[in-house]
Amino acid sequence: MSDLTRFGVSLPTELLEDFDRLLARLGYANRSEALRDLIRERLADEEWREGKGVVFGTITLVYDHSLGSLTNRLLDISHEHHDLIITNLHVHLDYEHCLEVLVVKGKAAEIRNLAGTIIGMRGVLHGKLTLATTGKRLGDTVEKK
Ligand code: NI
């Protein structure tokens, strides 16, 4: 648990009002928690951009499994990259569509390449790489009550 530091922030009134409306919609209890989340998200983005060390993430896909070649190719790629894919979740959405979530761990550049290859396959209707981080470098404190 790290120490908390208070600091003042000057914002245009309209920007702050927009921010408060967003926080209310997202269910944040206060601005501090929202700001912490925003800062952590940005720092995690940088961690990924810099490509240092091991990062974590998920690759979420919706695809048409009736294209048999896609299903086989996805399996082949998953085996080729077993070192990057920790686990996966598969949900049969309806007769044609599957949702697949791959949990990945490795160097940022390798994960980006893998995500690009998979998401770019014909028959993938939706694909998104989401970054995650252990947060070790991002501060682990929660506001003291
Ligand atoms: Ni399926």
Side-chain angles (χ1 to χ4, degrees), residues 119-135:
I119 292 168
M121 289 193 300
R122 190 174 154 265
V124 173
L125 306 169
H126 167 85
K128 189 170 173 55
L129 169 64
T130 303
L131 62 87
T133 174
T134 58

Side-chain angles (χ1 to χ4, degrees), residues 90-92 98:
H90 185 102
V91 179
H92 312 299
C98 301

Side-chain angles (χ1 to χ4, degrees), residues 63 65 71 90-100:
Y63 63 91
H65 91 105
T71 308
H90 185 102
V91 179
H92 312 299
L93 296 177
D94 57 27
Y95 286 105
E96 292 96 27
H97 301 106
C98 301
L99 167 72
E100 185 122 356

Side-chain angles (χ1 to χ4, degrees), residues 77-89:
I77 290 173
S78 297
H79 281 275
E80 284 163 18
H81 298 279
H82 62 89
D83 53 330
L84 295 177
I85 300 171
I86 301 169
T87 189
N88 66 311
L89 167 78

